[in-house]
Amino acid sequence: MSKAGKGIVGFLLTVYLCIMSYYLYTHQYYNADIEAYMGIVYKYNFPDMKIEEIHKKVYDELKSKDPDTGKSDLSHKEEAAGENTYYQILSENPKAYEEELHLFTVKPLYNFVNSVFFRLGFDASTSTFLITIISYVLIVALIFIFLSDILKNYYLAFALTILISLFKPLLDTSRHATPDGLSTLLLLLSFYFAVMKRNLWIAAAFGVLCILTRPEYFIFYSYLLIVLYIFRSDFNFKARNIAFTFIFFTLAFGVIQYFNQIPWSVLFMNQFTKVQLYPVSNPDSFNFYEYLACIKSKLLFEFNTSYFPLLLIFIMIILNYKMLKQKDRKSLMYLGLFLAVYFTVFIRFFMFPSLVNRMMVGFYLIIILSLIAYQNSKHQIMAKSA
């Protein structure tokens, strides 16, 4: 492709991302979790500020932008007792609000970035979703770079990038003040540097940052390192370095758990069975039978409303059975990656039986990009095995 053609594609992508950034900035959802992340911003920057003052600042700002903030949602039947009135009580009770903040301190990198934006002069609510919009821009740019390297065709890479950028879970992620956008960006960066650049240390650094943004990604990285160890010769990675990488991931996860004040059992009961006003100081005891009932009631619905069954169909179609039967290393490596994703999703579901699409977008993108890469190289695999 000519230099002029590359410049045109680059210009079009830049204009497109500017338009999408403006759209996302002006169409934020102001989701329920934003009030907790705003409170943490104030606590980080004003550690001596009383919770009553933080509470007032947060809800005054949110109600000026979304008058429905803190109102009861009686439009649907409660799945967990008390969930419809929970956020109204938080908006009225500073002490209950203070304890809710403990549930959100387990995403230290996201909270740190929010605090940086706040110190730069943005208001608290804007500070919580700016990184999400920036992450969207960088995710789309990274997808374009990845596809350009794989397809060797800028126009096709551009077209596919635009289509993926309009993927509903990715857009929804970019309209919520949550760590999902940042964690997805870090996941894709670690994936890119491990697979495309063959640089384990940079990939590991982004992996650690991803875990510090969303701790549950530790499960996926653990499985991923098993796959990487099996196929280490294909990447020229040493077993010792893979072991060190696992230690780094474990330390990052361990640090978060050390400072985490909320046991998993308390968090599960609070979120899925009975929404408690004081999950830290007065938790209900964990009930194993309620846990099993919750898992069984959500299993079919959650997976069927996610994109995982649809993507599994494409995996089965695109992965070549004959190549797997002949133990082709490249095919087996892709299969290992997809198994790592699905094992992770199942384990995560049994810990927290909810597959909200914006939380799964990193896995979706890994599968989509991997399928494109595999399909593009399929003729090479077939030629070698002929």
Side-chain angles (χ1 to χ4, degrees):
M1 185 176 184
S2 66
K3 188 175 181 180
K6 294 179 181 178
I8 292 172
V9 171
F11 174 76
L12 291 175
L13 184 62
T14 301
V15 172
Y16 173 76
L17 289 175
C18 289
I19 293 171
M20 290 302 295
S21 297
Y22 177 77
Y23 169 80
L24 294 172
Y25 184 83
T26 55
H27 290 78
Q28 282 294 304
Y29 279 128
Y30 290 98
N31 51 295
D33 291 348
I34 193 173
E35 41 83 20
Y37 291 122
M38 288 172 64
I40 291 174
V41 165
Y42 279 114
K43 284 181 71 70
Y44 277 9
N45 288 276
F46 306 103
D48 296 329
M49 185 180 290
K50 293 183 178 179
I51 189 60
E52 289 79 11
E53 186 177 355
I54 293 175
H55 183 266
K56 185 177 187 307
K57 283 180 175 291
V58 167
Y59 283 98
D60 283 351
E61 181 178 334
L62 285 178
K63 288 179 180 178
S64 69
K65 296 184 177 184
D66 181 8
D68 291 332
T69 297
K71 292 184 179 179
S72 295
D73 181 8
L74 304 178
S75 62
H76 65 281
K77 182 180 178 180
E78 291 183 333
E79 292 187 15
E83 66 175 302
N84 288 351
T85 57
Y86 181 60
Y87 288 103
Q88 179 181 349
I89 294 173
L90 291 180
S91 69
E92 297 170 349
N93 188 332
K95 293 300 181 184
Y97 173 76
E98 181 179 27
E99 292 215 343
E100 193 214 19
L101 299 187
H102 293 295
L103 304 176
F104 295 85
T105 57
V106 294
K107 291 102 174 183
L109 183 62
Y110 176 70
N111 290 322
F112 171 75
V113 172
N114 293 344
S115 295
V116 170
F117 283 122
F118 183 74
R119 291 190 178 188
L120 290 176
F122 295 98
D123 59 37
S125 61
T126 303
S127 297
T128 61
F129 64 72
L130 271 182
I131 188 57
T132 304
I133 298 173
I134 294 171
S135 295
Y136 173 84
V137 171
L138 295 178
I139 287 169
V140 174
L142 185 60
I143 289 172
F144 175 71
I145 293 171
F146 181 87
L147 292 177
S148 298
D149 290 346
I150 291 294
L151 302 173
K152 309 299 181 185
N153 184 321
Y154 277 77
Y155 292 122
L156 179 58
F158 175 71
L160 289 174
T161 299
I162 297 301
L163 290 174
I164 294 173
S165 73
L166 298 174
F167 185 39
K168 188 177 184 296
L170 181 56
L171 286 179
D172 285 347
T173 298
S174 306
R175 295 177 63 189
H176 282 78
T178 67
D180 302 311
L182 178 58
S183 62
T184 298
L185 172 63
L186 295 168
L187 175 66
L188 292 181
L189 282 169
S190 61
F191 183 76
Y192 177 78
F193 277 98
V195 174
M196 302 300 295
K197 298 299 183 181
R198 301 292 201 269
N199 192 318
L200 182 61
W201 297 123
I202 295 180
F206 283 120
V208 168
L209 294 176
C210 183
I211 292 170
L212 291 174
T213 305
R214 266 206 172 278
E216 63 266 30
Y217 272 112
F218 173 73
I219 303 169
F220 178 61
Y221 278 110
S222 298
Y223 278 122
L224 208 56
L225 287 179
I226 294 174
V227 176
L228 208 56
Y229 176 80
I230 295 171
F231 296 96
R232 61 189 182 280
S233 60
D234 298 83
F235 296 92
N236 293 321
F237 292 157
K238 296 180 179 179
R240 179 182 60 185
N241 294 341
I242 294 175
F244 279 131
T245 300
F246 179 72
I247 291 172
F248 295 149
F249 291 160
T250 304
L251 288 174
F253 182 74
V255 167
I256 293 172
Q257 297 310 310
Y258 179 79
F259 290 102
N260 179 25
Q261 301 182 38
I262 314 294
W264 167 80
S265 58
V266 172
L267 185 59
F268 181 92
M269 296 295 287
N270 178 66
Q271 187 167 351
F272 297 107
T273 61
K274 179 183 177 183
V275 178
Q276 303 162 71
L277 298 182
Y278 299 100
V280 179
S281 61
N282 187 29
D284 284 347
S285 58
F286 179 75
N287 187 306
F288 184 73
Y289 294 103
E290 288 184 355
Y291 164 76
L292 287 180
C294 180
I295 293 293
K296 289 191 291 185
S297 68
K298 289 177 173 288
L299 182 62
L300 188 62
F301 175 79
E302 289 293 334
F303 276 95
N304 283 341
T305 54
S306 75
Y307 286 82
F308 288 113
L310 179 63
L311 290 172
L312 185 58
I313 293 173
F314 284 103
I315 290 173
M316 294 174 68
I317 292 172
I318 293 175
L319 273 184
N320 192 288
Y321 169 74
K322 291 182 180 179
M323 296 300 99
L324 293 174
K325 191 175 180 180
Q326 295 173 14
K327 297 182 180 179
D328 174 79
R329 286 187 65 82
K330 198 165 191 177
S331 298
L332 290 173
M333 182 171 61
Y334 279 96
L335 177 63
L337 172 62
F338 297 139
L339 287 175
V341 171
Y342 278 85
F343 279 144
T344 299
V345 171
F346 270 102
I347 289 178
R348 187 191 183 282
F349 176 81
F350 280 101
M351 294 177 65
F352 297 100
S354 176
L355 298 179
V356 179
N357 280 323
R358 62 179 172 79
M359 296 182 183
M360 300 293 107
V361 69
F363 296 131
Y364 294 155
L365 292 178
I366 289 291
I367 294 174
I368 292 170
L369 294 175
S370 298
L371 287 175
I372 293 172
Y374 181 80
Q375 179 64 20
N376 187 66
S377 63
K378 204 170 185 179
H379 67 280
Q380 300 172 7
I381 299 174
M382 296 296 288
K384 291 179 181 178
S385 61

